[in-house]
Amino acid sequence: MKIYIMRHGETKWNKRSKLQGQVDIPLAPKGIEQAQMTAEGMKEIPFDHIFSSPLKRAYKTAQIVRMDRPIEIVRDDRLKEMSFGTSEGKCIGKIMENPAMTRYQRFRLDPEHFRPAKYGEYFQDVLRRTDEFFKEEIVPLEGKAENVLIVAHGCVVRSFILNLTGRSLGQFWKTPFGKNCSSVAFEYKNGEINMIYENKLYYDTDCPDWQQQIPSYKKGYRK
């Protein structure tokens, strides 16, 4: 079974470098275009199941990539973006420029010791809920499905990467994955997960093909 996990298309807040978190921001016109080009690139993949974050920017991306496939898109709260609490809506640049604002700087540079703003999540919270989602929703599909699509958000996709490769939290940002509509793919077979590629874009011809530049990771998920 192949599992494709992708980030949503661009929003206005992405363009303005604002922390979105779980604020329900819709796709910008450019994000719709990115999703349409991604849909064209993935049109030959016969998806059996599609899961999505319920936030508009992810769900709309999933709808566009689904095209005319007669598949229900299953929304799951565990696929929502990491919550940044009271920091949501603030400009990242201003936070980074203020020497007193060490919280977000630690978010980028030292995720293991990051402490969220009020009502926000720790990285460990997101790792936990994505791991739970995978075990409860994806593992049981082995032998029943061949291709599964998950549409979510940047921190959520990186959490999947860490969970499925066994990397440490300190490596959270050490991945080529990141741009809007980037995707990562894994193969799950006989309780083992192997990475197929770590970063693939269908709209940026200047993006290097990371598929040929990654090692193979394994982590067993036994039923």
Side-chain angles (χ1 to χ4, degrees), residues 92-131:
I92 298 171
K94 290 183 179 179
I95 294 174
M96 294 295 284
E97 290 169 4
N98 186 345
M101 295 296 290
T102 59
R103 176 176 286 118
Y104 190 73
Q105 293 163 4
R106 190 174 293 120
F107 170 81
R108 286 291 189 185
L109 302 175
D110 188 14
E112 292 174 290
H113 299 100
F114 168 73
R115 294 180 65 84
K118 190 175 182 180
Y119 307 123
E121 288 184 292
Y122 289 84
F123 284 97
Q124 291 87 343
D125 296 324
V126 187
L127 288 165
R128 190 178 303 113
R129 60 179 164 91
T130 51
D131 188 52

Side-chain angles (χ1 to χ4, degrees), residues 11 66 74 106:
T11 71
R66 177 179 62 180
V74 178
R106 190 174 293 120

Side-chain angles (χ1 to χ4, degrees), residues 9-10 13 27-28 86 102 106 140 168 185 196 198 202:
E10 185 176 284
W13 279 24
L27 289 180
T86 54
T102 59
R106 190 174 293 120
S168 68
I196 301 172
E198 188 161 355
Y202 289 90

